Amino acid sequence: MDSIKQAFQHRPLSVKLWPPSQSTRLMLVERMTKNLTTPSIISRKYGLLSKEEAEEDAKEIEEQAFTAANQHFEKEPDGDGSSAVQIYAKESSKLMLEVLKRGPRVKEDGEATTADKTAAIPGNVFDISGGRRAFISVDEAENLLKPLKDPGNSYTKICFSNRSFGFDAAAVAEPILLSIKDQLTEVDLSDVVAGRSESEALEVMKLFSSALEGSNLRYLNLSNNALGEKGVRAFGALLKSQNNLEELYLINDGISEEAARAVCELVPSTGKLKVLRFHNNMTGDEGAIAIAEIVKKSAVLEDFQCSSTRIGSEGGVALAQALGTCRLLRKLDLRDNMFGAEAGIALGKVLVAFADLTEIYLSYLNLEDEGAEALAGALKESAPSLEVLEMAGNDITAKSASSLAACIAAKQFLTKLNLAENELKDEGAIVIARAIEAGHGQLNEVDLSINAIRRAGARLLSQAVVQKPGFKLLNINGNFISDEGIDEVKDIFKNLPDVLGPLDENDPEGEDFDEEAKEEDADNEDELESKLKGLEIKHDE
């Protein structure tokens, strides 16, 4: 149901709600696919669908729901279509639940599922990642990889992800990979040794590495293999031979300090990397310094992720300085590290050169006010097309609100703003509300949850976003909004109730509720107007 509502929020208001546009229907399919592949209580019981199977099911669900709703609409063509939309939503929701309870399609009488029988996707992609995550036997390997042996096949992209290869199954794959390596440009070997002993996993990695050595790849994904230094070196022959690599993924790989040094040693410094992603590793400061060496030599880098990697101030400063050479950066994700204000200031010094930046994720970096102000000031002068700004969980107080607001006011292409889990309070929330109320026609999501915001701040934030076309979600949960304030906010969104996020964790009393806060929350419009007149947000010309 939520997927339907969210999809229709993208449509401009009109008299007729039915039929939905083709783009709305496609958007719904995308949202249902995401829902069907997201872990949940139901999926834990019945199994999680692969992306391929979920997309196929989502298309069928949408088609059936559309047909049912359209038949209803044809019986009452003079209506506004609202009842048809409800049927569309209810039917989709019902069918999605049936698919979730059905779970992944399993083999019957020894017959393989569609995903197993047809590993080759039409075109140049060969993908065996569909279906349940499982060990792959020798016989299965021979059957699944058979299309790769066809003379004259045109596969340039292969994906072995989600299938765990033992030594025997990898030995089947080795000569096949060797025979086609010269035509390959993209290889996904993520999650290919799950559940194997370390010794067997390393041997499998070496077989794949040896078979693909000398290939001319632009994309290589080795994520989710618990590599560590031994694993990185097991793939050494493959890594060292890649002189045209543009995308490298090492996510959830146990990349320690030593492993990071091995990556730095083995990956050629060709200056061609455009995407480099580390996430959920244990890299630390020394490992970050090694990664910084790769970054420093990657002047055309466009997408850099180094999140949840246990990097502190020293490593953060090293990475920040290395990023100074990456003037073409479009997406930067450094979330969930221990940078501190010093690394934030260092990063601010290089951000001023990032003219192409569209997404920046700086949440949970312990930036505090000093680091946040440095970054906000730098972003204000750069990144004119910034679309996503995240600085949640950084102990930012109202002291930094004016710096943040000035930055936000200058970013008229923002689609998402996340300042959750800070300490902005009413004073900061009001300043941020003033910054986003004018313009910002593409803004569709604002998160200021858990910021000790009270009635006045909640009201101003609500009024600032409610009329924006296509706006999807205001999250102000976990704050200190009074019961009267909650009623006011709900009344503001009375025509768009689904745009207002849940308020179940709001605490009307607040941890530090006192007489001064009561007075601030009082319904005194003159006092509020007086406060607002003293706040000025300077927009760049």
Side-chain angles (χ1 to χ4, degrees), residues 454 512-522 527 531:
R454 298 188 184 278
D512 57 351
F513 199 78
D514 52 26
E515 290 304 317
E516 183 180 348
K518 286 181 182 178
E519 291 177 8
E520 183 179 330
D521 266 358
E527 181 182 349
K531 286 184 178 181

Side-chain angles (χ1 to χ4, degrees), residues 18 79 106 169 183 212 242 308 362 524 531:
W18 192 266
V106 296
Q183 68 193 53
L212 293 168
Q242 298 310 306
S308 300
L362 302 172
N524 189 335
K531 286 184 178 181

